[in-house]
Every structure is written in C-alpha cells, then in structure tokens.
Amino acid sequence: MPEMFMIALLLVFLLALLASGIWVAFSLLAVGMAGIHFFSGAPLGNVMATTIWGASNSWALAALPLFIWMGEILFRSHLSEDMFTGLSPWLSKLPGRLLHVNILGCGIFAAVSGSSAATAATIGKMSLPELARRNYPEKMMVGTLAGSATLGLLIPPSIILIVYGVATEQSIARLFIAGILPGLLLVTLFIGYVVIWSLLNKEQIPKQVETLPLAEKIRRSRRLIPIILLIVGVIGSIYAGIASPTDAAAVGVLLALLLSWLGGTLDRKTFLDGLMGATKTSCMIAFILAGAAFLTVAMGFTGIPRMLAEWIGTLNLSPYALLAALSIFFIVLGCFLDGISVVVLTTSVIMPMIEQAGIDPLWFGIFVVLVVEMAQITPPVGFNLFVIQGLTGMNILRVAAAAIPFFLLLVVALILITVFPQIVTVLPGMMGG
C-alpha cells in the first residue's frame, strides 16, 4: 500500500534524525521538507517561508516568554524559603507532617513558574536538605517531590498548555482555567496518599519538634501573602476576562520584579541571568513550534492526517479505547522526548482522529498534559528524575522507584477526568468574556 509505505518512510526518517541527536526543530523541518518534496507538488520554499513566519508571528505566543521570565525571576528570589517558613507551621498536626511541604510548595510554585523541571529544582533545593536533616524517609522525600513537581505542567500558567493552545488553535485562557481543578485534584490525591502512608508507617515519621502558638504561625505565614497575591492577580484576571494571558503575563513579570526587589534579591546579575534564561528557553520552544507548524502543513499536503483519521475510523474504536491507545503512545514517546516536543510532534496527526471521535479538543489538552506528566517520571528520560538525581546524587532507578506511587496516582487522575469530564470543562464554561 503506497500510503502506508510513505508514512513508514517518513516515520523512520524522523526517528533516525532524533536518535542521531539533531535538534528537534531541525528534525521536524527536515521531515516536512522531505514530505513536500517527495510526496506532494507544493512549492517547498513558499510553504516553508509563509508557515514559519505565520507560526512565529502570533500574539498568543507572546505570553510564552513572559511567563517563562516571570518564573526565572522568582526562581532566583527567596520564594522557596518563604514558602517553607510559611507552610511548615500549619502541617505539624497532619499525618506526614513536613512531607506535605513538597506537595503544597510544588503546587504554589507551579502557579508561578509553568515548568515542571524548574518546580522540581526550586522546591527540591529548599525541602530535601531540611527533610533529610529531620530524618524523614528518603523514599517519601524523593517520591513526593518527583510526583508533585509534575504540577508545573498542569497548574496555570503552564508553558505546555500555551504550546498546545498555539499548535491546535485553542483558547489559551480557557486551557489555563481548565487546568485548575485537575491540578487541585492531583494535590488532593498526593496529600491523601501521604496521609494514608504515614498512618500505616507511623514509626518512620519523625516526632514533632516544636509547637508554635497561633500568633507565631500567622506571623510566619505572612511571607506567603505576596506570592498568593501574585497568583490570584494573574490567574484571576484571566478567569474574569479582564486580561488576556499575554496581558496577565506582562503584569506578572512586573509584579515578580517588584517582589524580587522588595525581597532584596533583584540586582543587575540576577536580572540579566533571568532575562537570558528566559530568552534561551523561549527561543528553543518557539523554534520547535515553527518546525512543528511546518511539519503540520507538510503532512496536510501529503494527506497523511486524513488517511490516518480514515483508518482509525475503520477500526470503529470507542472514544475510551482510542484514549487508552493514545495514553500508551504518549507515555512511550515521553520516555524519549520532552513534553513540549511530544505535544508539537503529534498534534498534526492526532487532532483529526480526536475530532472524528467527537472528543472535545479543550478537554483533550488537559488529558495530554496529564499523560505527559506521567512521562516526566518514567525512565529512561523522565526529566524530573534527572533533576532530582542531580539534587540528591541518588541512582536514577531508586528515584524512579520512589516515584512509582505518584505515577499510579496520575493514572487515577487520568481515569477520573475521563469518567467525569466536568472536572476539566466546568470552569472554562463559567468564564467571563
């Protein structure tokens, strides 16, 4: 069958390029060029020029470098220390005690960074030494950090949701709001697991060292107020329809700079380091998006997405069976590529199948992010595992083993949003103009 031969040839070519270590963006461009040149009569140069320019010249994409910069600024501030000081006094009575700092700290930092790796690195630097000093079990220290850091991909402002929104032409604001309840669901599942584990293994949890009066707890918690106001300002303005994600990101950068300056961590070096870090990351993602956009158009000229969608249609898969198959596909792919590459690499082929199956693209965006989160803690290329290995010096397999319960909790969350899609869709449906 010539169509299947064409698909197999281009797939092998793409895998060979990725396996050789060539940048993802160059690999996508090369496969798109090969598809147009050999399997269609479209003018290659004109298609490439207009597609890459169109993918880069997007106002929605302007939110990406701004949110990344906001995260870079706060990454270099006293945010992590403030969170530990503000959260720890309230957790002494909860089974698991300070292990919950990892979960809640990651949840809070995820709401200002948008990056899973940055969340793992920032919270890990702060919490792991403190928890080790208090003799908390290593497996739970590492597991809670590995699992909770994946919240950086889901809780808005999520970088990967911006990428998905641009790649699939979905509303980024609605995607952001759709990620809130699933993010809170994951936080609840993680806390519940730690509570149950701690009740079953009381002897492994260190005894409470100090009991603070209420006034002292409140005094320490004041350090959380600025960052909570930042989160509420950015996410609340988007939800109310007052600001677009790009406008809210610009305000977030200004507030992050102000917080960093008031905290005494903003100087010329940290400002330039944050700016350069955001520039490098943003350029990398924008380059990948441009390559993916060109590949999407090239695949359209070859007719591959239409053929695959028709083939899937002939299998008469139920939506649940299709989602199960795609989950396995994304997890396997995520073992070898980072989350953003997985999303941009697959949207051109996957979206026609999703639309044909009658699945809501907005809901599917959250579904994809949850599956990509699972891949973040799956060897051999789980990015969170590498970050935590670098922080602790532990063997990567020990880190992966500690993360297994949280991988299973992500599976539970995936099942829950599939059975109850309202968890994802209810807030976007209530949004203001």
Side-chain angles (χ1 to χ4, degrees):
M1 186 176 179
E3 292 89 354
M4 295 307 295
F5 174 74
M6 174 177 64
I7 294 171
L9 203 61
L10 291 175
L11 182 60
V12 169
F13 183 43
L14 175 60
L15 293 175
L17 290 173
L18 292 172
S20 68
I22 292 175
W23 287 2
V24 172
F26 282 135
S27 300
L28 299 177
L29 287 169
V31 174
M33 291 169 66
I36 288 182
H37 181 73
F38 293 109
F39 303 111
S40 83
L44 175 57
N46 291 343
V47 172
M48 178 182 284
T50 54
T51 304
I52 291 178
W53 171 251
S56 306
N57 184 27
S58 168
W59 177 242
L61 203 55
L64 184 72
L66 290 171
F67 276 127
I68 292 173
W69 191 18
M70 184 177 80
E72 289 279 349
I73 295 164
L74 294 172
F75 176 71
R76 291 166 172 80
S77 70
H78 291 310
L79 172 64
S80 57
E81 293 89 338
D82 289 346
M83 282 196 297
F84 195 92
T85 303
L87 290 172
S88 55
W90 301 96
L91 300 173
S92 58
K93 301 293 185 184
L94 190 63
R97 295 197 177 89
L98 296 185
L99 287 174
H100 297 288
V101 172
N102 269 348
I103 301 169
L104 296 175
C106 285
I108 293 172
F109 192 79
V112 293
S113 77
S115 165
S116 176
T119 301
T122 305
I123 302 303
K125 285 178 186 174
M126 171 271 296
S127 68
L128 291 181
E130 288 291 330
L131 294 174
R133 188 171 64 82
R134 290 171 167 83
N135 296 317
Y136 278 83
E138 181 186 74
K139 182 178 179 181
M140 290 301 290
M141 285 166 38
V142 172
T144 51
L145 179 62
S148 303
T150 62
L151 295 168
L153 295 179
L154 183 61
I155 295 179
S158 162
I159 304 304
I160 202 169
L161 283 178
I162 297 176
V163 171
Y164 177 85
V166 171
T168 60
E169 299 182 350
Q170 293 295 308
S171 164
I172 294 172
R174 288 170 63 80
L175 283 168
F176 275 5
I177 303 308
I180 292 176
L181 288 184
L184 294 175
L185 171 65
L186 278 176
V187 170
T188 305
L189 288 173
F190 292 162
I191 289 176
Y193 170 74
V194 171
V195 167
I196 293 170
W197 184 92
S198 300
L199 290 174
L200 296 175
N201 300 272
K202 290 182 180 179
E203 71 285 352
Q204 295 194 46
I205 300 298
K207 296 289 185 280
Q208 185 175 346
V209 177
E210 58 178 349
T211 302
L212 297 174
L214 180 62
E216 178 62 19
K217 290 182 179 180
I218 295 173
R219 190 188 70 79
R220 294 191 183 188
S221 297
R222 287 187 305 178
R223 298 174 70 171
L224 290 172
I225 293 174
I227 201 63
I228 291 174
L229 291 177
L230 173 61
I231 295 168
V232 171
V234 171
I235 305 304
S237 62
I238 297 173
Y239 181 77
I242 299 170
S244 70
T246 306
D247 300 331
V251 173
V253 167
L254 290 175
L255 291 176
L257 287 169
L258 179 62
L259 286 177
S260 184
W261 177 68
L262 292 174
T265 56
L266 183 64
D267 54 28
R268 178 183 173 83
K269 183 180 185 307
T270 56
F271 179 82
L272 291 178
D273 286 349
L275 189 59
M276 286 306 298
T279 301
K280 290 176 182 176
T281 304
S282 302
C283 289
M284 180 268 291
I285 295 173
F287 197 16
I288 291 175
L289 276 173
F294 175 61
L295 180 62
T296 300
V297 172
M299 293 302 99
F301 278 115
T302 63
I304 287 176
R306 175 183 51 79
M307 287 184 290
L308 283 175
E310 290 173 355
W311 177 65
I312 292 293
T314 62
L315 297 177
N316 295 318
L317 290 177
S318 69
Y320 289 140
L322 177 61
L323 290 172
L326 289 177
S327 298
I328 296 170
F329 170 70
F330 279 124
I331 290 172
V332 171
L333 203 58
C335 289
F336 305 97
L337 294 172
D338 65 278
I340 290 171
S341 300
V342 169
V343 169
V344 298
L345 193 61
T346 57
T347 48
S348 62
V349 176
I350 297 296
M351 292 314 293
M353 303 180 196
I354 295 303
E355 291 164 3
Q356 183 158 325
I359 297 170
D360 181 0
L362 181 83
W363 177 90
F364 186 68
I366 304 301
F367 177 89
V368 168
V369 170
L370 272 174
V371 178
V372 170
E373 282 184 347
M374 293 158 66
Q376 294 287 301
I377 52 176
T378 306
V381 191
F383 274 40
N384 284 11
L385 303 183
F386 283 131
V387 171
I388 295 169
Q389 182 192 33
L391 289 173
T392 62
M394 289 173 60
N395 181 284
I396 190 76
L397 294 179
R398 283 173 61 201
V399 179
I404 286 174
F406 297 89
F407 177 90
L408 297 176
L409 290 173
L410 285 165
V411 174
V412 171
L414 200 66
I415 294 170
L416 287 174
I417 70 161
T418 303
V419 176
F420 305 105
Q422 300 85 354
I423 297 172
V424 174
T425 58
V426 64
L427 287 183
M430 296 166 58
M431 280 181 70

